Amino acid sequence: MSEVREREKVVIVGSGPAGWTAAIYAARAQLEPFVFEGAGSRTMIPGGQLMFTTEVENFPGFKNGIQGQELMMEMREQALRFGTRSVWEDIVEVDFSTYPFLLRSSGGKEVRADTVIVATGANARWLGVPGEERLAQSGGGVSACAVCDGALPAFRDKVLAVVGGGDSAMEDALYLTKFAREVLIIHRRDEFRASKIMAERALAHPKIRVLWNKVVTEVLGDEYITGLRLKDTVTGEESEVEVGGLFVAIGHTPNTAFLNGQLELNEQGYIVTPVPWRTVTSVPGVFAAGDVMDDYYRQAVTAAGTGCMAALDAERWLAHGGPEETYGTTGEPVVAEAGTEASEGS
Ligand code: NAP
């Protein structure tokens, strides 16, 4: 753990694949980044969502797969090797109306930053029922990411359950049909929220069966999931169903509350990056990377990619004049002439 200086060139908030990749690039560019890794909570720990994953088989470069925690430790060590400094604290308050930007941490630290990279990720929502957290953390067949875990051998030829009625649930269910004997979609109402085309595709699939008007009240199994206890939301009737895997697909919550409205967010609370293929946010000098700005791909490798982009964007922004600069609609830096407002595209 390191001491933060009064003023830093780059402060990175978050320590998932996006945060550490941004740190690796910023450190190698001699910007001496400081990372607020997070203080840790029941649903999020330093290292991000991969810390809750067991085997990661789709991160390029590891032909035999790698444990999620090990992958994050490697990224962290790589960033520290190039001089990144860090602390296990959250950023709890920001002031982006002043420059250098002002940030306050959960440990009472106050830091001024020339640039900020927000990489705080998004938390998968969980059901919060008995058995779920225990089996998710022990690799006992409970997951919130079908694309990450669905192809693992443990799920082959099993009956797998997907909870949710949105596009994610449809997509996950369809994806899981490649490996499962049968996929049960468990939804709390009698109609899907998902887009018509996705819902129809799922409903037409011969391996998919829907259990309408049902909620999961308990995940059963000691070391590995064996079944689910269900309750009918209309009749109140309780039942049990045998499954060999549970995939929770009830949405994500981006970790943007600490921004307190100072960056533009979309309706779901994700940070808006208005220029295609750039990580600039509504505040010049503040960049966003990873799941906190991406509600679409949500993969470790895409998060790492946008982390790299954010560090390069920050480096270029500083090199082109920092606060004297703004962005044109193409994302190219536009430097204001002394005494004039910077204008787009000029
Ligand atoms: P979502 O649209 O918010 O759907 C969440 C689903 O989970 C809803 O059906 C909801 O039920 C259910 N749910 C929420 N809390 C629950 C609980 N505690 N217990 C049981 N069920 C619960 O989330 P999403 O599916 O992740 O999609 C998020 C956004 O990404 C959407 O805009 C979606 O279109 C987009 N997306 C697009 C694609 C694609 O185009 N390929 C793929 C994935 C996601 P209710 O319906 O009863 O509220």
Side-chain angles (χ1 to χ4, degrees):
M1 295 297 105
S2 322
E3 280 303 311
V4 67
R5 297 175 191 139
E6 258 173 55
R7 181 171 176 174
E8 297 281 354
K9 292 184 199 124
V10 181
V11 167
I12 296 166
V13 190
S15 59
W20 287 126
T21 306
I24 291 164
Y25 273 78
R28 296 190 77 249
Q30 305 200 320
L31 292 172
E32 304 171 308
F34 193 93
V35 178
F36 283 89
E37 294 190 47
S41 67
R42 196 186 73 85
T43 54
M44 192 47 78
I45 49 179
Q49 293 208 80
L50 281 190
M51 301 297 282
F52 296 109
T53 306
T54 49
E55 191 84 9
V56 180
E57 290 186 323
N58 54 10
F59 200 91
F62 300 95
K63 67 180 166 58
N64 298 319
I66 183 169
Q67 294 293 307
Q69 297 195 356
E70 192 186 343
L71 178 59
M72 294 322 302
M73 287 305 130
E74 291 286 332
M75 286 192 198
R76 183 174 188 275
E77 291 299 318
Q78 193 177 352
L80 299 187
R81 181 158 84 86
F82 294 109
T84 300
R85 292 155 300 122
S86 73
V87 68
W88 281 347
E89 290 178 20
D90 289 326
I91 289 296
V92 292
E93 202 183 330
V94 297
D95 184 353
F96 293 154
S97 67
T98 171
Y99 193 83
F101 306 116
L102 181 62
L103 300 96
R104 284 198 189 84
S105 78
S106 51
K109 296 183 172 61
E110 201 165 90
V111 54
R112 294 265 174 185
D114 294 344
T115 61
V116 176
I117 295 173
V118 180
T120 42
N123 286 4
R125 287 193 208 125
W126 293 92
L127 299 167
V129 298
E132 178 192 50
E133 187 182 353
R134 178 174 52 81
L135 290 168
Q137 289 192 359
S138 66
V142 176
S143 165
C145 182
V147 178
C148 318
D149 300 328
L152 294 175
F155 295 118
R156 295 285 155 113
D157 296 322
K158 300 264 178 72
V159 177
L160 304 179
V162 174
V163 180
D167 280 331
S168 295
M170 302 304 116
E171 202 166 67
D172 287 1
L174 287 162
Y175 178 74
L176 291 170
T177 58
K178 294 179 205 216
F179 318 105
R181 175 152 43 97
E182 184 182 29
V183 178
L184 304 175
I185 299 179
I186 298 170
H187 185 39
R188 62 186 177 184
R189 291 189 293 135
D190 63 358
E191 62 175 344
F192 286 139
R193 173 183 298 274
S195 56
K196 199 159 181 281
I197 185 164
M198 297 282 285
E200 280 176 359
R201 216 174 278 163
L203 288 169
H205 198 288
K207 276 194 184 177
I208 294 180
R209 185 156 60 96
V210 185
L211 303 183
W212 300 105
N213 298 320
K214 300 275 187 296
V215 285
V216 175
T217 55
E218 187 177 350
V219 182
L220 306 170
D222 293 330
E223 296 201 344
Y224 207 84
I225 184 171
T226 55
L228 301 170
R229 200 184 303 280
L230 304 176
K231 187 174 178 181
D232 192 296
T233 53
V234 178
T235 64
E237 192 184 326
E238 300 208 2
S239 58
E240 280 184 21
V241 60
E242 279 182 29
V243 298
L246 168 65
F247 292 84
V248 180
I250 60 171
H252 286 73
T253 307
N255 297 314
T256 46
F258 73 103
L259 295 168
N260 202 18
Q262 294 192 47
L263 292 184
E264 188 186 343
L265 307 178
N266 71 12
E267 277 174 12
Q268 283 79 39
Y270 290 82
I271 297 175
V272 172
T273 48
V275 183
W277 286 94
R278 297 288 185 274
T279 62
V280 298
T281 66
S282 56
V283 175
V286 179
F287 305 88
D291 287 7
V292 76
M293 48 76 86
D294 169 24
D295 63 0
Y296 190 75
Y297 296 106
R298 295 193 199 116
Q299 299 301 299
V301 67
T302 49
T306 52
C308 157
M309 290 158 67
L312 294 177
D313 286 344
E315 183 189 355
R316 287 173 191 167
W317 189 77
L318 288 171
H320 282 85
E324 298 303 315
E325 175 193 349
T326 183
Y327 285 86
T329 47
T330 59
E332 292 311 310
V334 180
V335 182
E337 285 175 25
T340 63
E341 288 283 305
S343 61
E344 272 197 2
S346 60

